[in-house]
Amino acid sequence: MAKIAIVYHSGYGHTQRQAEAVRNGAAAVAGVEATLYPADALSEAQWAELDAADALIFGSPTYMGSVSAKFKGFMDESSKRWFAGAWKNKVAAGFTTSASQSGDKLATLLQLMVYANQHAMIWV
């Protein structure tokens, strides 16, 4: 069974709804188990589950042209995984949302892609 971890932060509930839709879509595929992980509340056991996942999907609202501070905290916390190469060659993807027409969601998606590339993941 393929395991997909969806790590997200949601300040007002919009990104959480997106994360739930991503989970539901992934889980509808035979042989896929998809689990949600709030980025700002991960236990050590949940970090281990991320390490064991086949794919990680990252979701953050776009605040001021970037990921949220809480999601950035998750990114920074993952440095031990980066050092160990724990996520190397895992599939990665991302999503974002913002209320602003020019909230620069593209910059957030690029930030998520660069983050995945730092971990030597395969961005799709």
Side-chain angles (χ1 to χ4, degrees), residues 55-58 90-94 116 121-124:
L56 298 170
I57 302 175
F58 305 116
K90 291 183 185 290
V91 172
M121 300 176 82
I122 302 163
W123 182 258
V124 297

Side-chain angles (χ1 to χ4, degrees), residues 60-103:
S60 173
T62 294
Y63 292 160
M64 303 305 290
S66 182
V67 297
S68 66
K70 290 185 179 182
F71 195 86
K72 180 64 167 84
F74 159 78
M75 292 168 69
D76 292 346
E77 258 322 284
S78 73
S79 62
K80 290 178 185 173
R81 268 92 189 146
W82 169 82
F83 187 75
W87 298 348
K88 183 177 182 178
N89 295 323
K90 291 183 185 290
V91 172
F95 59 91
T96 189
T97 188
S98 73
S100 174
Q101 288 182 343
S102 51

Side-chain angles (χ1 to χ4, degrees), residues 1-106:
M1 175 165 290
K3 293 186 179 191
I4 299 175
I6 302 157
V7 184
Y8 72 96
H9 171 252
S10 186
Y12 299 98
H14 304 98
T15 311
Q16 180 176 347
R17 284 198 297 276
Q18 280 186 304
E20 290 166 352
V22 169
R23 179 198 56 205
N24 294 343
V29 176
V32 172
E33 177 185 323
T35 306
L36 296 177
Y37 295 91
D40 58 342
L42 291 174
S43 67
E44 276 304 312
Q46 289 172 316
W47 278 103
E49 290 173 18
L50 299 183
D51 295 344
D54 299 298
L56 298 170
I57 302 175
F58 305 116
S60 173
T62 294
Y63 292 160
M64 303 305 290
S66 182
V67 297
S68 66
K70 290 185 179 182
F71 195 86
K72 180 64 167 84
F74 159 78
M75 292 168 69
D76 292 346
E77 258 322 284
S78 73
S79 62
K80 290 178 185 173
R81 268 92 189 146
W82 169 82
F83 187 75
W87 298 348
K88 183 177 182 178
N89 295 323
K90 291 183 185 290
V91 172
F95 59 91
T96 189
T97 188
S98 73
S100 174
Q101 288 182 343
S102 51
D104 211 353
K105 293 174 275 299
L106 177 59

